Amino acid sequence: MSSFKKGRRPTMICCKCLETLIHCADGYETVALNQEVTLAKKIQLKPPILLESLLDVDRIPVCKRRGPLKILRRLTVIVDDASLLHALSSPSVEGYDLLAVRPTNEKTFQIACSTLSVDIVSVDLSERVPFSFKRAQIGQAIERGLCFEVCYSPAIRDSTARRNTLANAMELIKIAKGKRIIVSSQAEKAFDLRAPADVTNLCNLFGVPSPLCKATISSSCRAALLHAATRKKTAKGVVSSTCVPIQNLKADRGTVETKQLLDVQKAGKNRKRHGIYLIDTETELPASKRTSELLDAESRLQKAGKKRKRHGIYLIDTETELPASKRTSELLDDESRLQKEEEAWNLS
């Protein structure tokens, strides 16, 4: 992951470094180009830089199995003052595929975990963290679907940063229990980039449980992308809407109704599994659940015959034309048996 600070346009040297990084990202299906911005009063967030101005799209490496390398755009906002967080709701932020926040104090970290609409919480673990990680805050962020990021390239460059990264990462991963942890490179040169197998070994060094080491570079990253798509395309992560032309809607209305009617008619024995019940012959509409149960009971009583005891169904009272109780059915059985015995006695 390469970083462009303060939203400035990258130079030709940065573009060459990007091309080298992307060609060295062997073994990865998706990479994200990170743009860092320190939030201040006079700084406004800008839309992402076009990928064509950074790279030669025709020279992106292509894998035979996975196809071309997918390149995403990410924005990381460094927050010092909590009163400036309203800038994250600007329309220019919607152009980024991922949105991350880097809090620098306890107040901004608490807001990021509880209410802030972001995808990744990235704390600078290469330096001394000025606050302590609390289990309640991290648990709340995990419940909201946020991910925590651990960057390993600062630990490669400097011994002091390595010591701080190991201590802070072990504390964060211990509280989060290895869940929703993303390990990224934050690489600025090709020397800072490592293969997926090396990253999983680093996760063991950071204290990630062995079954979750692979998830830090696979399923947790996909969860962050899914959270980003849900954040941008749905209302509060529940309802999504798509624009449909009115002419197409009118043209397809009859087709939809016909399809529903055919589905109801073909439901048969699987109607309970699909939530569809019998059709009322008077209204020619799906009957309610209670009416369907009564119709089922009536047809079952007609076909029960000698198997009525096995199905829990008894004789029908001729006066009320309703299923008789168990006691009444026993009396009717006794009566019919006595009548048959009397007939047999008279014949003899």
Side-chain angles (χ1 to χ4, degrees):
M1 232 177 246
S2 181
S3 300
F4 307 132
K5 295 185 179 180
K6 296 183 181 179
R8 296 178 181 176
R9 190 178 183 84
T11 60
M12 294 300 295
I13 299 176
C14 290
C15 294
K16 291 181 180 179
C17 292
L18 278 177
E19 290 182 359
T20 306
L21 278 171
I22 289 175
H23 282 279
C24 291
D26 190 15
Y28 294 96
E29 298 180 2
T30 306
V31 295
L33 301 181
N34 185 29
Q35 184 173 349
E36 291 185 359
V37 177
T38 302
L39 207 59
K41 292 183 179 180
K42 296 182 179 180
I43 294 179
Q44 295 181 355
L45 299 179
K46 297 180 180 180
I49 303 172
L50 295 176
L51 190 62
E52 290 77 6
S53 61
L54 300 176
L55 301 168
D56 188 1
V57 182
D58 298 332
R59 297 181 61 184
I60 295 177
V62 179
C63 182
K64 294 181 179 180
R65 294 182 179 179
R66 297 180 295 269
L69 184 69
K70 188 176 181 181
I71 301 176
L72 304 177
R73 307 307 311 276
R74 167 182 159 175
L75 176 65
T76 301
V77 180
I78 303 173
V79 182
D80 296 328
D81 189 3
S83 62
L84 301 175
L85 291 173
H86 61 85
L88 294 178
S89 60
S90 62
S92 59
V93 179
E94 297 180 358
Y96 294 92
D97 299 309
L98 288 168
L99 180 60
V101 63
R102 177 165 290 181
T104 57
N105 51 52
E106 186 175 3
K107 185 176 181 180
T108 53
F109 181 76
Q110 181 181 1
I111 294 174
C113 293
S114 59
T115 58
L116 202 58
S117 179
V118 293
D119 308 315
I120 301 172
V121 179
S122 176
V123 183
D124 190 2
L125 302 178
S126 61
E127 298 179 356
R128 183 179 177 274
V129 181
F131 55 90
S132 60
F133 300 114
K134 297 181 180 179
R135 191 178 300 275
Q137 297 175 355
I138 294 177
Q140 187 178 7
I142 292 174
E143 289 180 358
R144 294 179 58 228
L146 305 186
C147 296
F148 293 92
E149 183 183 35
V150 177
C151 301
Y152 62 81
S153 61
I156 299 174
R157 304 190 195 108
D158 187 26
S159 59
T160 305
R162 186 183 307 119
R163 184 169 57 252
N164 293 332
T165 301
L166 284 173
N168 295 326
M170 290 176 69
E171 183 182 359
L172 175 63
I173 292 169
K174 182 180 178 181
I175 295 175
K177 299 180 181 180
K179 299 178 181 178
R180 292 282 183 171
I181 299 295
I182 292 176
V183 178
S184 61
S185 64
Q186 200 181 4
E188 298 178 357
K189 298 179 181 179
F191 177 75
D192 300 334
L193 195 62
R194 293 294 181 268
D198 297 333
V199 177
T200 54
N201 292 330
L202 284 174
C203 294
N204 281 324
L205 189 62
F206 290 148
V208 179
S210 298
L212 299 177
C213 288
K214 189 177 179 181
T216 57
I217 57 174
S218 58
S219 60
S220 297
C221 301
R222 285 193 293 268
L225 292 175
L226 181 60
H227 185 273
T230 305
R231 174 179 55 83
K232 293 191 297 183
K233 298 181 181 179
T234 61
K236 296 184 178 181
V238 179
V239 180
S240 62
S241 60
T242 55
C243 296
V244 179
I246 298 177
Q247 296 179 357
N248 296 341
L249 184 61
K250 289 181 178 179
D252 296 339
R253 183 177 297 174
T255 307
V256 171
E257 291 177 356
T258 306
K259 188 175 181 180
Q260 291 178 353
L261 182 59
L262 291 175
D263 291 339
V264 171
Q265 292 176 353
K266 294 179 181 179
K269 297 181 180 179
N270 297 328
R271 59 180 178 274
K272 293 184 180 179
R273 186 180 64 183
H274 294 285
I276 304 171
Y277 302 99
L278 295 176
I279 299 176
D280 193 353
T281 55
E282 297 180 358
T283 60
E284 296 183 356
L285 294 175
S288 62
K289 185 177 181 179
R290 179 59 181 166
T291 308
S292 300
E293 290 176 354
L294 292 176
L295 293 173
D296 280 336
E298 184 178 355
S299 60
R300 193 166 61 247
L301 287 172
Q302 293 175 357
K303 297 179 182 179
K306 296 181 180 180
K307 299 180 181 179
R308 60 180 181 275
K309 292 185 179 180
R310 187 178 65 182
H311 292 282
I313 304 168
Y314 303 98
L315 296 177
I316 299 176
D317 193 353
T318 55
E319 295 180 358
T320 60
E321 296 183 356
L322 293 175
S325 62
K326 184 176 180 180
R327 180 60 180 167
T328 308
S329 299
E330 292 176 353
L331 293 176
L332 292 173
D333 283 336
D334 294 339
E335 185 178 356
S336 61
R337 188 171 60 252
L338 290 174
Q339 290 178 358
K340 290 181 181 178
E341 289 178 356
E342 289 179 357
E343 291 177 357
W345 178 262
N346 294 328
L347 292 174
S348 61

